[in-house]
């Protein structure tokens, strides 16, 4: 049981896999060249034969994955997808999520992320600007957070219990 974050430069794809079943959150069609050359070989290698393809705007509920808007729960892990600015209003309590997935260079600051969320790891998608990635790296270092940047042929696999 794992989550695989693909490095696709201009596109985004995250596979949530349990056994031979998987849910792929992506902005790609299964006929797209990037899908055929990067995603499909991984699916074949991981022996995923029951796949649900979902856009990031869709919601889904299975026995191992729940996605509602930008919040994802995969078995025992929570992740928040941040792909647009998050309001900078004061909050009474922080939202808990193990992972913050940052995509599309949203106009956010590390201070805002730390004021609004209690998290351990940032995951920066390859489609973020170099400026955004530099800001996230500096902020992660400043606040003692882990960061994984999905650039330069790096992907990420997270195991779940």
């Amino acid at each position: 049981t794992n989550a695989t974050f693909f490095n696709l430069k201009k596109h985004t794809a995250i596979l949530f896999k349990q056994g031979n079943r998987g849910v792929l959150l992506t902005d790609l069609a299964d006929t797209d060249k990037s899908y055929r050359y990067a995603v499909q070989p991984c699916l074949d290698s991981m022996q995923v034969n029951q796949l649900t393809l979902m856009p990031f705007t869709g919601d889904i509920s299975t026995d191992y994955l729940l996605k509602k808007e930008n919040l994802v729960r995969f078995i025992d892990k929570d992740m928040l997808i941040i792909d647009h600015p998050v309001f900078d209003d004061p909050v009474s309590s922080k939202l808990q999520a193990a992972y913050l997935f940052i995509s599309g260079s949203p106009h956010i600051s590390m201070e805002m992320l730390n004021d609004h969320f209690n998290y351990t790891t940032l995951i920066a998608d390859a489609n973020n600007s170099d400026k955004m990635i530099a800001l996230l790296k500096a902020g992660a270092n400043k606040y003692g957070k882990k960061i994984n940047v999905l650039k330069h042929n790096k992907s990420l696999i997270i195991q779940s219990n």
Side-chain angles (χ1 to χ4, degrees):
T1 303
N2 61 50
T4 302
F5 297 79
F6 291 88
N7 170 5
L8 299 173
K9 295 185 183 175
K10 296 179 182 176
H11 297 283
T12 304
I14 307 170
L15 172 67
F16 298 94
K17 178 186 177 288
Q18 183 177 43
N20 64 350
R21 299 178 298 154
V23 174
L24 184 70
L25 295 180
T26 187
D27 60 349
L28 292 169
D30 59 3
T31 55
D32 189 282
K33 180 179 168 183
S34 293
Y35 182 94
R36 290 193 325 265
Y37 290 109
V39 177
Q40 190 61 57
C42 179
L43 297 173
D44 294 343
S45 165
M46 297 175 99
Q47 300 176 342
V48 175
N49 56 29
Q50 294 177 3
L51 182 67
T52 303
L53 210 60
M54 289 287 305
F56 277 87
T57 56
D59 294 337
I60 189 168
S61 178
T62 71
D63 58 340
Y64 62 96
L65 178 72
L66 174 64
K67 180 185 177 294
K68 179 86 170 140
E69 296 181 8
N70 284 22
L71 188 59
V72 178
R73 168 158 274 203
F74 178 58
I75 309 284
D76 60 346
K77 306 277 192 241
D78 290 326
M79 177 181 73
L80 183 66
I81 299 168
I82 300 177
D83 57 0
H84 59 278
V86 180
F87 298 110
D88 201 15
D89 298 330
V91 293
S92 58
S93 63
K94 293 182 178 185
L95 179 64
Q96 302 281 333
Y99 304 96
L100 297 183
F101 180 74
I102 313 295
S103 181
S105 296
H107 296 283
I108 57 170
S109 69
M110 285 301 296
E111 290 74 20
M112 185 277 311
L113 291 178
N114 285 300
D115 287 347
H116 286 74
F117 307 106
N118 188 9
Y119 64 97
T120 56
T121 304
L122 287 172
I123 303 169
D125 195 18
N127 66 14
N128 286 296
S129 68
D130 290 339
K131 181 179 176 181
M132 174 56 73
I133 288 176
L135 176 121
L136 293 172
K137 283 181 176 179
N141 186 44
K142 176 180 177 182
Y143 292 104
K145 303 292 185 179
K146 295 177 194 168
I147 185 168
N148 291 287
V149 179
L150 305 177
K151 275 198 171 193
H152 308 296
N153 292 327
K154 292 184 181 175
S155 59
L156 174 66
I157 298 176
I158 297 173
Q159 299 294 326
S160 187
N161 294 338

